[in-house]
Amino acid sequence: MKPNTQQLHDLTTQVRRDILRMVHAVNSGHPGGSLGCTEFLICLYQNLMERKEGFDMDGMNEDLFFLSNGHISPVFYSVLARSGYFPVKELATFRLLNSRLQGHPTTHEGLPGVRIASGSLGQGLSVALGAAQAKKLNKDTNLVYTLHGDGELQEGQNWEAIMYASAKKVDNIIATIDLNGKQIDGTTDEVLPMGSIRAKFEAFGWDVLDIKEGNNIEAILKGMTEAKAKTGKGKPVCVLLHTEMGNGVDFMMYTHAWHGKAPNDEQLANALGQNAETLGDY
C-alpha cells in the first residue's frame, strides 16, 4: 500500500535529518538543493513511480529515475535507503573512503538505485532519453523520470537533448526542473539569466506544466499526476517545480549560501531541532 499523507510528511522530516547529519559528519556535501527536493523525491519513490522489488540495471517493466544534478546526492541516497534499496545504516558511510555513497552518485560500486554517474552536470536527460527510447523498442509502457537543476540548464548539452526529445516524439519521459532560482555562485539571474524556461521548453516542442508549491506534498502529487496524464500523446513532458533551496531549515532558506556548505555543530543542532526524529536516525 502507498503511504498516506502523514506518513509522507514523517518521511520528509526524517530524510531532512539524514541529509543534515550526513553532510555534517564529513563537513562536506550539498544540503541546500537536497533539502529543496526532499518532498519531490519522496513523492516520486513512495507514491508516483511503479517500482519492482529489488534492483536491476535493465529496469524492464518498471518506471525509471535518472538524477542529473548529482550533487544533491544526500537526498537521493536517503530516499533510496528509506525506500528499501539498501540498508539505512549505510548512510553513515557518506563520502568516506571506499564507500558506495560517493559525493556524486556512481555506478561502479553497484549501489542499488543508481543508474548513472552524475558528477558532471547536463548529461542526465541524454541518458534518460536513451532509456525511454529503449522502452518503446521493447514495448515497455512504463515511464522515465528525470530531475535537473535550473542552473544546470545553462549547460549546452541539455538543449541538444531537449530538441531531440520533441523531434523524436519521446513522449514517455517526464523531466522535472528544480526551479529554485539559485546556484553555487548566486541567483541564476545573477550568474546567467535564462529568461522564461517555460517558453524555451514550449518553443522546443515540449508539453510544460508548473507545480507552484514544489515543497508541498499534496501539490506535488496532484501536479505529477497531471504530468503522467500528459504522457503518451506525442510530446515529452516538462514539470517546472518551484522549490526553496534549504527548505525546512530556516537559516538555510532564501539564500544560495548553503548550496555546498555543511553546518557546524551548533547549526546542526539548530537544524535538527526544527526537524524532529520521526522514523529513527541511522
Side-chain angles (χ1 to χ4, degrees):
M1 293 179 62
K2 293 180 179 180
N4 59 36
T5 302
Q6 184 57 54
Q7 289 171 319
L8 292 174
H9 280 289
D10 288 345
L11 185 54
T12 297
T13 304
Q14 189 62 54
V15 168
R16 283 201 195 104
R17 290 181 64 89
D18 290 347
I19 293 165
L20 294 162
R21 295 177 68 239
M22 288 161 70
V23 298
H24 169 266
V26 291
N27 193 31
S28 178
H30 295 78
S34 293
L35 292 166
C37 289
T38 300
E39 291 88 351
F40 172 74
L41 283 175
I42 285 170
C43 288
L44 195 65
Y45 274 88
Q46 293 290 317
N47 185 290
L48 295 161
M49 288 175 62
E50 294 182 15
R51 301 188 289 120
K52 297 186 300 189
E53 290 293 324
F55 177 77
D56 63 73
M57 290 297 281
D58 287 339
M60 290 286 292
N61 302 310
E62 65 175 330
D63 293 343
L64 304 181
F65 172 71
F66 293 90
L67 178 66
S68 189
N69 51 330
H71 56 279
I72 65 167
S73 61
V75 66
F76 189 35
Y77 294 149
S78 175
V79 171
L80 287 177
R82 300 278 176 184
S83 299
Y85 283 90
F86 56 86
V88 171
K89 65 182 181 181
E90 193 170 351
L91 296 177
T93 71
F94 176 66
R95 283 193 174 224
L96 297 181
L97 291 175
N98 300 316
S99 170
R100 298 196 296 177
L101 279 62
Q102 291 299 305
H104 293 79
T106 63
T107 55
H108 65 276
E109 297 287 358
L111 185 66
V114 177
R115 297 191 178 278
I116 59 169
S118 50
S120 298
L121 293 175
Q123 299 177 1
L125 185 57
S126 298
V127 180
L129 286 171
Q133 289 192 300
K135 283 192 175 295
K136 284 180 172 287
L137 290 171
N138 291 327
K139 310 300 182 184
D140 181 343
T141 59
N142 287 92
L143 299 176
V144 175
Y145 294 87
T146 64
L147 179 63
H148 313 262
D150 50 359
E152 183 186 7
L153 295 182
Q154 295 161 354
E155 300 277 358
Q157 183 174 325
N158 287 296
W159 298 100
E160 296 178 56
I162 291 164
M163 178 169 56
Y164 180 93
S166 57
K168 301 301 181 181
K169 295 181 170 56
V170 187
D171 59 1
N172 57 339
I173 191 167
I174 299 176
T176 298
I177 311 302
D178 176 21
L179 205 63
N180 61 34
K182 302 175 188 68
Q183 57 192 104
I184 190 169
D185 291 324
T187 69
T188 51
D189 282 343
E190 289 169 339
V191 176
L192 183 63
M194 290 179 285
S196 171
I197 293 177
R198 167 182 276 274
K200 284 180 168 59
F201 270 89
E202 288 178 339
F204 275 74
W206 285 59
D207 210 344
V208 184
L209 61 87
D210 284 87
I211 299 179
K212 293 292 187 181
E213 298 179 77
N215 295 114
N216 180 295
I217 286 172
E218 292 84 354
I220 293 169
L221 293 175
K222 180 177 183 291
M224 292 302 292
T225 299
E226 292 175 4
K228 289 172 70 173
K230 291 179 178 290
T231 60
K233 298 180 180 180
K235 288 186 175 184
V237 178
C238 172
V239 174
L240 301 179
L241 184 75
H242 298 257
T243 69
E244 183 56 52
M245 183 177 282
N247 188 60
V249 179
D250 57 8
F251 63 87
M252 291 186 177
M253 298 170 67
Y254 314 115
T255 174
H256 72 280
W258 294 91
H259 172 95
K261 183 175 71 172
N264 60 30
D265 292 351
E266 182 180 351
Q267 291 164 335
L268 175 67
N270 184 349
L272 293 180
Q274 299 175 45
N275 293 276
E277 186 175 354
T278 55
L279 302 177
D281 289 337
Y282 59 83

